[in-house]
């Protein structure tokens, strides 16, 4: 309607007067006609379901059809009559205005009133009147679910404002850049009466050049339909970035920021994650300006949790032992009057301070100001001062203590009087540092006689240096003390015997002091591992984000974690790890090179040298098990998921253990140091019991029972995980065969087991089922049978390729409290959780997928939850209100095909039943994604097909009907609308190119240019590429996400790095994947679940495999676009030169190249000559193998060809395929009139002769492809006929070229004409396969199909072979694919070449 209105305004030159307003009122009949078309579609879509539909619903459909039919006809009649009678006094015009006005006001009035709660309640009370019920029933069908899909007024105004801004941008853009520029060219073309057509025109010439106008306006109309999504994407990215900044995301973007703000972490941790015994909804305890003691108290409470986080990083081999020591926080429970921070903040600070003191020529105040500019240098100096005093006091005898007391007292007095530089020779301070270092270096070891003598000597040396080199003040003030010390020193009694430190706290202080005064290297890069850095940065950043206050463990909500498992990898066996691919690369070798630092850390953790070989680890069973676990924790395995989810229990045990003072008042019983100690917390019975009451982890291993019977290694691995994790429960379907009345029958049980103390399976529950439970899709049915075994108030759904982190598990209590928070009109029923894709560092493809996914799971879902209020459940790891959902149909719909994307239906179900879905980004869960192009393509194909099925689902229909207009738009563009707009992007390319092909082949484009030379408006309209591609603008959320969380400069670097890695080619290729599978599902249905596989992808994919996967989805469409571009190049008009042509077609050529060669560009070793030769042999064998019964598509072209046609089953699908196939015949119709031999003849005779020639070519082809089985008895005759036919064809072709006006150029043009026609015939034959088979032409069609596949394969293969011949191309491709790994020291070129330094691999 707006397009109609904007077009009317544009054609009236932007003027608004009475006449224009009268024209604008034509939107009224347009609206009613659209409603009438909607009612027709409702009747058509209900075809076949009337018998199973309630009669009331059927009556409503037909009543709406009659109502809008009558209204559209009558309003159109009144409007036409009003136009025929000029003036506002016309009775028809008045009637029209009255009815349109009443309808519009009523619609607006009721829509506005429904936003006011009081008016909404009033309308519900009016349901007792039959007339009101009838009107509401006609407007909207009565549903049991879906009632009350409204939000509170403030939320409504927010998302309305959002869409008003989007509409403002869209309509302004559409008017000024899409519609208005075409007004003048349209008028010129309509006015032209004698345009010259180079073909036989049937319609356009005598109808104001209608097709020419359509070719100009069709791309604009397609963009108009599409660009609303683009503006939504741009604005949602901006709003998402602003919301993220308001939530304080990205405040900590680097280790440097972590170091600078570390001092504020303990207090922030206390506010957010420290539980207090308060009522719910409490806003937390106000903690004012903290004193030193308060800061020390915060640090003491923070240190146990921080240290456990660091220990978990060490257990996961992300950091070294030394890094762990530097990152740990002391308990801060000792007598030191200061806060002790981690050593990584203060190492090397002492050396810098000593250098400042030695070189200082300033006053004491100025020196201290210089030191205090670095707050951690100040902390280091103060801590060393107090620690040294404590240590010396503790180890020396009475006379020694007297010396320590005297020296430190004098230093304190000098500091107070600001005479430190006068009283002490600080230029000799480095001598003191050397003696102190020597002393502490001895004291950190256990006492031995030699060490004791060395320590005495070190103390004596320290005494001599301090007394003779450092002291410069007058010692007469304390003459007696110094005389006593001197006498004892001379007699050898002073420091003759030391009390070796035994107290653990004192020993820890000495060790810490020694590290402070010995480590000279900067700790700015600690930890070095990028994943450890990311996790610490995110955790510390989240401490400053808004989150619900944590409740004590015994008061928190209980919850379960739920993971479905079928037969994926549980743990890698040693055979799997050592199994080599065709390049001689094993999985363990690959992991060693991908994660070199983690491999070294692993060897250090198990007490091995960093050069230890895998063969040496196999000699020790414990080391072998650790190796298997190490590798499994770096893949997408069940073991990794279980380890991550069990962090919840570990976190709850720790939190419960640390909360003892809240309930038991242990502060009056235990020493202060024991209150914050975590020693032995995992063995605390009370803490473990509390954790087990609040947490349950159920893995539903559907076929675990069968795996045990078959003694599969997966079963033993699952049993091992249960033994290793006592809180782990496994649910499975057990099939028991019993004998009754001489017959064997099966009974089905849903069982839950755990590991007992002996490591055996102990059955907890067994539920007899009425029959086989897997009636629908496998994964949701697997969840449905086991959800009964979960318990608690909440349930978190976790897929088996996910991970979790200990520091994030600490925040689970806060997340569960969000169920009681204020998040809208209704309490939350699903808590959305942020995901981090941990596979992004494996390769450039994995990085692209990771960044694409991250932009949706963070910025995208952030906006969907608020302000748009349409966030659904897009998969894991959301947290469900368990009671809400199990009483409303569960969390998994399992109907076959329609619920193939079962995750999102949980969101639909929750929303329709007045749920509320929120999104929270202060907590994250790891997620694995596909890392190879084929895996990614199959995954995107599955999701796109699932979205195609969603279009047909009742859930989407009901939500679309029951949401208000603006919320419906938000819902549409974030579900099926995204895929529809993706498909429209590709269709826009087709529409544009077919329009240009029409102008070129018909000759009307050149004719117009000749007639209107100098008309810049028309020239611009004819030579303008469609305005933009969606890929450019869909990158905006990714860029905004980079800027928000990495900073502007890092974001720019990341974005340009991705461009250098050819991410645009990958995203363009993905555009084709989504378009193909979504479009196919819309036309034919039947989406299928595709198992993508989650392994490491380093092996080379054969050419034939890629061809089978991408031939119909990408190659065919890319070659069609290439044909259109060739037609435009050969016959198009271009008055602006080569540069203008390049600008006009470069994006389309880019699409062609991306779709044709991405599978080989992103294929490991895709351009190695030897592999390319082998691929060609494999492809030709596959192409020529005829197959037979039971042969799969991977083995034979014929079997694959039949599989590719399986989706065409229904009459509707055959009709759609027929309509779409007709476009291929335009090539022949246009090109034959461009041939030199045709002259100026534009009659249909020319076109008829072209079909005769084509028929002759088909007969010749049939002669050469005659079945060998049929001709086995007359081979000689057949060969003779083929030879004669070939010679006759060549002779005739030569004669025609030399004796007629046919040119060599005409021959190539004819090929350009006949190739699309042949493909069109092939498509029609496939669409009507039963009929073609019945008339006996199917074998000929199959031969033609083989020829086309051979030709398409060669078009793709030849450039690949040429690139493979150049050796530097393979090197470039390797570096391009594995760029992320190169940045971490991976020599992938050695891996793919098989040059392995590890001999045993």
């Amino acid at each position: 309607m707006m397009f109609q209105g904007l077009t009317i305004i544009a054609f009236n030159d932007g003027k608004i007067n009475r006449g224009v307003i009268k024209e604008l009122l034509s939107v009224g009949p347009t609206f009613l006609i659209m409603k009438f078309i909607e009612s027709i579609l409702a009747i058509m879509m209900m075809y076949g379901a009337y018998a199973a539909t309630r009669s009331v619903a059927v009556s409503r459909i037909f009543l709406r059809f009659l109502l809008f039919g009558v209204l559209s006809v009558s309003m159109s009649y009144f409007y036409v009559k009003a136009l025929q009678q000029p003036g506002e006094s016309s009775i028809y015009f008045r009637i029209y205005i009255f009815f349109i006005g009443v309808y519009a006001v009523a619609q607006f009035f009721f829509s506005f009133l429904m936003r006011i709660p009081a008016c909404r309640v009033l309308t519900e009370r009016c349901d007792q009147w039959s007339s009101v019920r009838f009107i509401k029933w006609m407007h909207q069908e009565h549903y049991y679910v879906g009632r009350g899909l409204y939000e509170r007024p403030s939320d409504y105004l927010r998302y309305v404002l959002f869409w008003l801004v989007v509409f403002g941008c869209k309509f302004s853009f559409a008017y000024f850049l899409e519609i208005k520029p075409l007004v003048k060219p349209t008028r010129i073309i309509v006015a032209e009466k004698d345009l010259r057509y180079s073909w036989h025109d049937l319609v356009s010439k005598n109808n104001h050049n209608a097709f020419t106008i359509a070719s100009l306006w069709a791309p604009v109309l397609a963009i108009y339909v599409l660009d609303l999504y683009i503006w939504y994407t741009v604005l949602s990215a901006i709003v998402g970035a602003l919301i993220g900044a308001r939530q304080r995301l990205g405040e900590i973007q680097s280790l440097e920021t972590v170091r600078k703000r570390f001092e504020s972490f303990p207090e922030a941790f206390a506010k957010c994650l420290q539980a207090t015994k308060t009522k719910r909804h409490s806003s937390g305890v106000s903690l004012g300006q903290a004193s030193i003691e308060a800061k020390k108290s915060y640090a003491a409470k923070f240190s146990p949790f921080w240290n456990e986080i660091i220990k978990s990083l060490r257990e996961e081999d992300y950091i070294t032992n030394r890094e762990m020591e530097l990152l740990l926080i002391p308990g801060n429970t000792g007598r030191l009057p200061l806060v002790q921070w981690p050593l990584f903040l203060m190492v090397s600070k002492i050396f810098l301070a000593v250098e400042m003191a030695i070189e200082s020529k300033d006053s004491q105040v100025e020196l201290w100001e210089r030191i205090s500019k670095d707050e951690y240098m100040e902390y280091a100096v103060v801590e060393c001062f107090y620690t040294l005093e404590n240590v010396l006091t503790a180890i020396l005898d009475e006379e020694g203590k007297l010396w320590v007391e005297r020296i430190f007292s004098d230093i304190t007095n000098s500091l107070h009087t600001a005479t430190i530089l006068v009283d002490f020779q600080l230029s000799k301070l480095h001598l003191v540092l050397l003696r102190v270092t020597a002393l502490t270096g001895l004291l950190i070891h256990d006492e031995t006689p030699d060490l004791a003598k060395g320590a005495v000597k070190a103390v004596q040396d320290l005494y001599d240096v301090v007394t003779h080199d450092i002291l410069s003040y007058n010692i007469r003030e304390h003459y007696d003390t110094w005389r006593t010390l001197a006498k004892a020193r001379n007699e050898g009694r002073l420091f003759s015997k030391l009390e070796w430190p035994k107290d653990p706290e004192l020993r820890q202080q000495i060790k810490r002091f020694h590290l402070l005064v010995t480590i000279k290297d900067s700790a700015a890069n600690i930890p070095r591992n990028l994943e450890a850095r990311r996790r610490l940065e995110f955790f510390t950043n989240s401490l400053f984000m808004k989150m619900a206050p944590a409740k004590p463990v015994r008061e928190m909500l209980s919850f379960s974690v739920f993971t479905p498992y079928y037969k994926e990898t549980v743990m890698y066996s040693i055979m799997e790890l050592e199994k080599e691919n065709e390049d001689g690369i094993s999985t363990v070798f690959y992991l060693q090179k991908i994660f070199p630092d983690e491999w070294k850390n692993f060897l250090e953790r198990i007490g091995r040298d960093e050069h230890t070989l895998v063969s040496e680890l196999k000699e020790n069973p414990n080391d072998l098990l650790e190796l298997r676990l190490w590798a499994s924790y770096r893949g997408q395995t069940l073991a990794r998921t279980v380890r991550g989810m069990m962090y919840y229990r570990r976190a709850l045990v720790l939190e419960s253990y640390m909360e003892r003072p809240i309930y038991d008042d242990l502060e009056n019983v235990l020493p202060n140091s024991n209150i914050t100690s975590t020693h032995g917390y995992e063995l605390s019975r009370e803490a473990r019991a509390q954790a087990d009451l609040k947490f349950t982890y159920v893995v539903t291993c559907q076929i675990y029972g069968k795996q045990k019977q078959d003694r599969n290694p997966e079963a033993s691995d699952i049993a091992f995980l249960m033994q290793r994790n006592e809180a782990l429960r496994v649910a499975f379907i057990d099939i028991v065969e019993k004998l009754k009345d001489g017959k064997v029958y099966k009974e089905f049980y849903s069982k839950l087991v755990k590991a007992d103390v002996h490591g055996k399976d102990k059955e907890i529950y067994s539920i007899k089922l009425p029959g086989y439970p897997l009636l629908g899709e496998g994964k949701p049915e697997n969840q449905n049978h086991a959800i009964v075994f979960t318990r608690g108030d909440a349930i978190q759904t976790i897929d088996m390729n996910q991970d979790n982190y200990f520091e994030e598990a600490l925040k689970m209590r806060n997340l569960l409290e969000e169920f009681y928070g204020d998040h809208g009109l209704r309490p939350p029923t699903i808590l959305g959780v942020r995901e981090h894709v941990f596979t992004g560092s494996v390769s450039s493809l994995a990085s692209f997928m990771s960044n694409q996914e991250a932009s949706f799971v963070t910025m995208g879902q952030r906006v969907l939850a608020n302000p748009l209020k349409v966030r659904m459940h897009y998969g894991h790891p959301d947290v469900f209100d368990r009671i809400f959902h199990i009483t409303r149909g569960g969390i998994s719909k399992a109907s076959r095909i329609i619920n193939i994307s079962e995750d999102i239906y949980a969101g639909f179900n929750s929303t329709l039943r007045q749920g509320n879905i929120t999104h929270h980004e202060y907590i994250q869960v790891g997620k694995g994604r596909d890392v190879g192009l084929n895996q990614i393509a199959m995954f995107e194909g599955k999701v796109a097909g699932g979205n195609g099925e969603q279009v047909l689902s009742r859930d989407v229909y009901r939500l679309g009907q029951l949401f208000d207009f603006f919320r419906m738009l938000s819902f549409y563009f974030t579900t099926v609308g995204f895929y529809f707009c993706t498909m429209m992007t590709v269709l826009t390319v087709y529409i544009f190119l077919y329009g240009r092909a029409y102008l070129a082949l018909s000759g009307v484009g050149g004719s117009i240019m000749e007639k209107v030379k100098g008309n810049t408006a028309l020239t611009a309209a004819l030579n303008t590429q469609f305005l933009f591609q969606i890929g450019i603008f869909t990158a905006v959320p990714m860029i905004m996400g980079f800027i928000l969380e990495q900073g502007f400069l890092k974001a720019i670097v990341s974005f340009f790095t991705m461009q250098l890695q050819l991410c645009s080619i990958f995203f363009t290729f993905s555009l084709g994947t989504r378009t193909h599978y979504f479009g196919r599902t819309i036309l034919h249905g039947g989406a299928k679940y595709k198992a993508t596989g989650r392994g490491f992808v380093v092996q080379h994919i054969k050419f034939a495999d890629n061809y089978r996967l991408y031939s119909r989805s990408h190659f065919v469409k890319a070659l069609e676009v290439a044909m259109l571009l060739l037609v435009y190049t050969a016959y198009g008009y271009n008055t602006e030169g080569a540069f203008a042509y390049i600008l006009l077609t470069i994006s389309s050529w880019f699409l062609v190249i991306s779709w044709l060669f991405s599978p080989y560009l992103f294929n490991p070793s895709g351009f190695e000559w030897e592999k390319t030769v082998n691929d060609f042999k494999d492809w030709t064998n596959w192409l020529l193998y005829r197959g037979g019964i039971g042969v799969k598509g991977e083995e034979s072209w014929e079997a694959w060809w039949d599989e590719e046609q399986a989706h065409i089953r229904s009459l509707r699908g055959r009709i759609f395929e027929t309509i779409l196939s007709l476009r291929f015949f335009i090539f022949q119709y246009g090109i034959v009139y461009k041939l030199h031999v045709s002259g100026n003849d534009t009659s249909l005779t020319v076109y008829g002769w072209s079909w005769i020639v084509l028929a002759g070519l088909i007969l010749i082809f049939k002669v050469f492809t005659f079945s060998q089985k049929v001709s086995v008895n007359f081979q000689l005759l057949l060969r003779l006929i083929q030879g004669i036919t070939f010679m006759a064809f060549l002779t005739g072709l030569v004669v025609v070229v030399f004796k007629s006006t046919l040119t060599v150029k005409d021959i190539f043009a004819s090929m350009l004409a006949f190739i699309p026609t042949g493909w069109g015939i092939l498509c029609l034959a496939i669409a009507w396969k039963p009929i073609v088979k019945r008339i006996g032409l199917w074998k000929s069609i199959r031969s033609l199909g083989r020829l086309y596949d051979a030709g398409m394969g060669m078009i793709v293969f030849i450039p690949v072979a040429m690139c493979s011949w150049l050796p530097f191309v393979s090197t470039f491709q390797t570096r391009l694919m594995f760029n992320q790994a190169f940045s971490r020291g991976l020599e992938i070129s050695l891996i793919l070449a098989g040059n392995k330094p590890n001999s045993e691999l």
Side-chain angles (χ1 to χ4, degrees), residues 101 126 255 328 330 370 455 510 517 738 816 818 930 1147 1336 1338 1366:
C126 293
L255 271 181
L328 292 176
R370 290 176 58 194
I510 295 172
V517 296
K738 291 188 176 181
L816 293 173
E818 298 289 355
D930 309 288
S1147 58
W1338 184 246
L1366 302 172

Side-chain angles (χ1 to χ4, degrees), residues 640-754:
R640 180 174 190 165
T641 304
V642 170
R643 180 198 64 175
M645 296 308 118
M646 293 309 296
Y647 278 139
Y648 282 131
R649 183 176 185 273
R650 179 174 169 182
L652 290 174
V653 170
L654 175 61
E655 289 167 336
S656 178
Y657 186 79
M658 299 306 297
E659 288 168 3
R660 293 169 297 160
I662 296 180
Y663 293 95
D664 302 330
D665 197 24
L666 294 181
E667 290 177 324
N668 299 325
V669 179
L670 296 176
N672 189 44
S673 60
N674 289 342
I675 292 176
T676 58
S677 173
T678 60
H679 180 69
Y681 79 92
E682 292 180 318
L683 301 177
S684 169
R685 288 188 175 184
E686 182 181 354
R688 289 153 60 93
Q690 284 291 341
D692 290 337
L693 285 173
K694 297 298 181 180
F695 169 73
T696 304
Y697 186 27
V698 177
V699 179
T700 169
C701 304
Q702 178 179 319
I703 58 173
Y704 176 61
K706 187 176 186 302
Q707 288 174 329
K708 286 198 301 182
Q709 291 177 358
D710 298 340
R711 297 187 177 182
N712 289 345
E714 289 85 357
S716 60
D717 290 339
I718 293 172
F720 169 74
L721 293 179
M722 284 194 287
Q723 297 165 23
R724 195 179 178 91
N725 304 279
E726 59 180 298
L728 176 63
R729 305 290 183 263
V730 170
F732 64 96
I733 296 172
D734 193 24
I735 304 175
V736 179
E737 292 186 351
K738 291 188 176 181
L739 186 65
K740 185 177 181 180
D741 299 332
K743 295 182 179 180
V744 177
Y745 70 100
K746 295 180 179 180
E747 290 184 349
F748 301 92
Y749 295 87
S750 184
K751 293 187 176 182
L752 184 73
V753 298
K754 68 175 182 178

Side-chain angles (χ1 to χ4, degrees), residues 162-261:
F162 174 92
W163 277 107
L164 290 179
V165 174
V166 172
F167 279 127
C169 296
K170 172 197 167 51
F171 294 141
S172 301
F173 180 85
Y175 178 77
F176 290 105
L177 293 177
E178 294 178 7
I179 299 173
K180 192 175 181 180
L182 288 183
V183 171
K184 190 174 181 180
T186 301
R187 288 171 174 165
I188 295 172
I189 295 173
V190 170
E192 288 293 334
K193 302 297 184 183
D194 55 348
L195 290 178
R196 187 180 73 257
Y197 288 80
S198 61
W199 65 13
H200 186 80
D201 182 71
L202 299 173
V203 177
S204 186
K205 190 172 184 179
N206 299 317
N207 290 283
H208 304 288
N209 305 308
F211 279 177
T212 305
I213 299 297
S215 66
L216 286 180
W217 280 88
V220 172
L221 184 59
I223 294 172
Y224 183 87
V225 173
L226 173 67
D227 65 358
L228 184 60
Y229 173 74
I230 296 172
W231 288 111
Y232 161 77
T233 302
V234 173
L235 188 61
S236 65
I238 296 173
V239 172
L242 294 175
I243 294 174
R246 185 182 178 189
Q247 294 176 350
R248 307 185 69 174
L249 273 169
E251 282 193 0
I252 297 178
Q253 301 171 348
S254 64
L255 271 181
E256 183 63 27
T257 313
V258 173
R259 293 164 59 86
K260 289 180 178 179
R261 300 189 60 177

Side-chain angles (χ1 to χ4, degrees), residues 251-405:
E251 282 193 0
I252 297 178
Q253 301 171 348
S254 64
L255 271 181
E256 183 63 27
T257 313
V258 173
R259 293 164 59 86
K260 289 180 178 179
R261 300 189 60 177
F262 199 93
E263 190 178 0
S264 61
F265 294 162
E267 185 175 355
F269 182 87
K271 289 182 178 180
C272 298
L273 301 180
Q274 204 75 42
T276 55
K277 194 174 180 181
T278 56
K279 295 181 179 180
R280 282 195 215 283
H281 306 291
S282 171
S283 59
V285 178
S286 177
L287 301 171
Q289 185 65 30
S291 63
I292 294 295
E293 286 301 320
K295 287 185 177 180
K296 190 174 179 180
S297 175
Y298 290 145
K301 295 177 181 178
F302 176 59
S303 61
F305 297 95
W306 174 265
N307 291 344
E308 284 300 315
I309 292 170
I310 300 304
K311 290 175 184 176
S312 72
L313 291 175
R314 181 64 194 95
E315 292 167 5
E316 297 173 27
D317 298 318
Y318 289 122
I319 59 177
T320 64
N321 291 338
R322 179 175 176 273
E323 288 177 333
M324 181 177 70
E325 288 182 353
L326 297 178
L327 287 165
L328 292 176
I329 301 180
N332 279 289
T333 56
R335 296 183 298 274
L336 294 179
L338 75 161
V339 179
Q340 292 179 287
W341 299 111
L343 288 172
F344 85 103
L345 301 173
M346 298 187 291
V347 292
S348 76
K349 301 294 185 183
I350 290 298
F351 296 97
L352 295 175
V354 169
E355 289 178 7
M356 288 182 184
I358 292 173
E359 298 172 359
S360 175
K361 296 180 182 179
D362 305 320
S363 64
Q364 173 187 319
V365 175
E366 292 172 332
L367 174 61
W368 188 246
E369 285 180 354
R370 290 176 58 194
I371 293 175
S372 300
K373 286 182 179 179
D374 187 339
E375 57 186 1
Y376 294 113
M377 185 184 296
E378 177 186 353
Y379 282 124
V381 171
V382 174
E383 181 175 344
C384 284
F385 177 79
Y386 286 112
T387 302
L388 183 58
E389 181 182 9
N390 283 350
V391 171
L392 292 176
T393 302
I395 66 173
L396 298 180
D397 54 14
E398 293 302 324
E399 291 176 331
K401 291 179 181 177
L402 183 63
W403 173 68
V404 173
E405 181 182 354

Side-chain angles (χ1 to χ4, degrees), residues 839-1003:
T839 51
S841 62
V842 175
S843 66
S844 58
L845 278 179
S847 174
F848 302 156
M849 196 68 179
S850 171
N851 292 328
Q852 183 184 41
E853 185 79 5
S855 67
F856 174 70
V857 300
T858 57
M859 189 166 295
Q861 296 187 19
R862 186 185 309 151
V863 176
L864 296 184
N866 185 33
L868 300 185
K869 306 296 289 185
V870 290
R871 188 193 186 278
M872 299 297 164
H873 173 59
Y874 304 102
H876 311 84
D878 293 353
V879 180
F880 289 76
D881 182 332
R882 180 173 172 272
I883 306 303
F884 179 92
H885 285 90
I886 63 174
T887 57
R888 290 165 176 81
I891 62 172
S892 301
K893 287 195 172 184
S895 298
R896 286 200 178 274
I897 301 178
I898 194 73
N899 294 135
I900 188 172
S901 298
E902 87 289 345
D903 296 322
I904 198 168
Y905 286 92
F908 295 163
N909 187 54
S910 184
T911 303
L912 282 167
R913 286 157 178 79
Q914 299 188 19
N916 185 14
I917 306 175
T918 60
H919 185 66
H920 308 276
E921 295 192 75
Y922 56 79
I923 184 172
Q924 65 176 356
V925 175
K927 176 74 172 179
R929 276 297 179 207
D930 309 288
V931 296
L933 186 65
N934 289 9
Q935 290 181 348
I936 293 171
M938 287 189 287
F939 170 76
E940 291 190 331
K942 178 188 72 174
V943 176
N947 268 268
E949 293 294 343
Q950 290 172 32
V951 175
L952 309 176
S953 69
R954 72 182 71 182
D955 305 80
V956 170
Y957 174 77
R958 287 173 176 173
L959 286 169
Q961 290 287 310
L962 300 174
F963 275 149
D964 61 76
F965 176 72
F966 297 101
R967 201 173 173 200
M968 179 272 294
L969 281 176
S970 303
F971 170 71
Y972 168 74
F973 281 113
T974 52
T975 50
V976 296
F978 168 75
Y979 286 89
F980 178 78
C981 291
T982 300
M983 185 174 65
M984 279 300 303
T985 305
V986 178
L987 291 179
T988 302
V989 177
Y990 277 86
I991 292 170
F992 170 79
L993 291 177
Y994 270 104
R996 291 302 175 267
Y998 168 79
L999 294 176
L1001 293 175
S1002 67

Side-chain angles (χ1 to χ4, degrees), residues 1028-1097:
F1028 44 75
Q1029 285 191 339
I1030 195 172
I1032 299 173
F1033 287 86
T1034 51
V1036 173
M1038 193 182 302
I1039 297 172
M1040 295 299 293
F1042 285 161
I1043 293 174
L1044 177 65
E1045 301 196 25
Q1046 298 180 13
F1048 183 77
L1049 291 179
K1050 285 186 178 179
I1052 298 301
V1053 171
S1054 298
F1055 181 72
F1056 278 104
T1057 300
M1058 289 178 60
Q1059 298 304 317
L1060 293 175
Q1061 293 174 311
L1062 306 183
C1063 73
S1064 297
I1065 290 180
F1066 167 75
F1067 289 132
T1068 304
F1069 186 82
S1070 297
L1071 194 75
T1073 304
R1074 292 191 292 265
T1075 298
H1076 172 76
Y1077 288 101
F1078 181 75
R1080 174 182 283 191
T1081 306
I1082 290 294
L1083 291 178
H1084 305 288
K1088 295 180 180 179
Y1089 180 85
K1090 299 178 184 292
T1092 61
R1094 294 180 175 131
F1096 302 104
V1097 179

Side-chain angles (χ1 to χ4, degrees), residues 23 139 150 256 279 336 509 635 760 779 866 1119 1263:
E23 292 181 21
H139 175 71
Y150 48 81
E256 183 63 27
K279 295 181 179 180
L336 294 179
Q509 285 186 15
K760 304 295 184 179
K779 181 180 176 182
N866 185 33
L1119 291 174
V1263 169

